Amino acid sequence: QKEVEQDPGPLSVPEGAIVSLNCTYSNSAFQYFMWYRQYSRKGPELLMYTYSSGNKEDGRFTAQVDKSSKYISLFIRDSQPSDSATYLCAMSGGGDDKIIFGKGTRLHILP
Amino acid sequence: DTEVTQTPKHLVMGMTNKKSLKCEQHMGHRAMYWYKQKAKKPPELMFVYSYEKLSINESVPSRFSPECPNSSLLNLHLHALQPEDSALYLCASSTRGAPGEQFFGPGTRLTVL
């Protein structure tokens, strides 16, 4: 079992829909949970950063962490074509500076 | 200044060439990273520098040689690369104590002929 599992997609949804992206993980030592957005041929951009369990909201984005289920989610409300990108979940907390990335989900928002 | 810059944006080199990639940040971050990313794959960690000292080397071949001259600069020296080393090379930085909160540069797209 890989440390972090993420469905690579692609996921296509109509503009304005709510998007749900998810990752599961196996290492209970993870404490920091991140979502990065990466446009084609660009570097990843940190979208959401959460510590331990709970929800965090930032504009149209909501990140949820459920440590008991080892499951994290990113919700995008009122999705826009400009949200089309690859979304990478990432986690850390094993006592060093490493973060472990999921494979990334390619998202297409259809106008 | 909240960005990480990388130069050059693109690099084409032969297998016998020596070249260097450069990364710079002025956010006061004391951890800096090199990643390699192939198409449709997540970034793959290569090296981590913490307080200008190499703290993690992910068993990277010696044809890649990192250097951290000061707290703002990170270099990656390349020598005798192989075509399979062609990839996007990403630099990132973070504050110590917030290991996941990494800020990435735009990357250098490297092609090895």
Side-chain angles (χ1 to χ4, degrees):
Chain A
Q1 182 187 13
K2 291 190 190 299
E3 276 199 290
V4 179
E5 300 271 10
Q6 182 178 12
D7 186 338
L11 177 63
S12 296
V13 299
E15 183 176 356
I18 295 176
V19 175
S20 172
L21 304 169
N22 312 293
C23 289
T24 58
Y25 64 95
S26 58
N27 188 345
S28 56
F30 289 145
Q31 298 183 69
Y32 301 92
F33 303 91
M34 290 72 68
W35 286 94
Y36 286 85
R37 176 175 64 192
Q38 188 172 23
Y39 292 112
S40 181
R41 297 182 168 268
K42 303 285 187 187
E45 172 194 7
L46 182 63
L47 270 183
M48 302 291 280
Y49 176 73
T50 54
Y51 173 71
S52 196
S53 281
N55 294 357
K56 184 174 183 178
E57 189 173 323
D58 184 0
R60 295 184 296 113
F61 299 90
T62 299
Q64 288 185 352
V65 175
D66 182 348
K67 288 189 73 178
S68 61
S69 303
K70 297 191 179 68
Y71 188 87
I72 71 169
S73 302
L74 178 71
F75 296 97
I76 307 175
R77 287 183 299 281
D78 188 24
S79 55
Q80 305 293 314
S82 58
D83 295 325
S84 298
T86 295
Y87 289 79
L88 295 147
C89 66
M91 306 171 192
S92 70
D96 57 23
D97 288 314
K98 286 188 193 183
I99 62 175
I100 309 299
F101 284 96
K103 286 184 177 181
T105 300
R106 284 183 292 140
L107 174 66
H108 300 290
I109 306 297
L110 306 171
Chain B
D1 188 352
T2 58
E3 66 172 348
V4 176
T5 59
Q6 289 187 245
T7 54
K9 285 187 168 51
H10 302 276
L11 179 62
V12 179
M13 60 187 290
M15 289 190 283
T16 57
N17 292 157
K18 284 186 182 181
K19 296 285 184 184
S20 296
L21 309 184
K22 182 178 171 181
C23 173
E24 194 164 2
Q25 57 89 14
H26 295 285
M27 294 179 278
H29 290 168
R30 302 311 297 270
M32 295 184 76
Y33 310 77
W34 279 115
Y35 289 88
K36 173 182 176 180
Q37 187 176 28
K38 300 283 252 183
K40 298 186 180 179
K41 299 286 187 185
E44 181 183 331
L45 183 65
M46 299 174 73
F47 303 103
V48 181
Y49 273 83
S50 178
Y51 292 96
E52 295 103 71
K53 291 195 183 333
L54 184 65
S55 61
I56 297 176
N57 176 343
E58 292 287 271
S59 303
V60 178
S62 59
R63 57 186 184 269
F64 295 91
S65 175
E67 179 196 21
C68 190
N70 61 55
S71 60
S72 300
L73 278 176
L74 188 65
N75 298 321
L76 186 63
H77 303 295
L78 314 173
H79 173 56
L81 295 193
Q82 305 295 309
E84 59 264 29
D85 297 321
S86 299
L88 181 68
Y89 287 84
L90 294 160
C91 174
S93 70
S94 71
T95 56
R96 293 292 283 117
E101 199 171 22
Q102 293 184 17
F103 295 86
F104 282 81
T108 293
R109 186 156 299 280
L110 174 67
T111 302
V112 182
L113 301 177

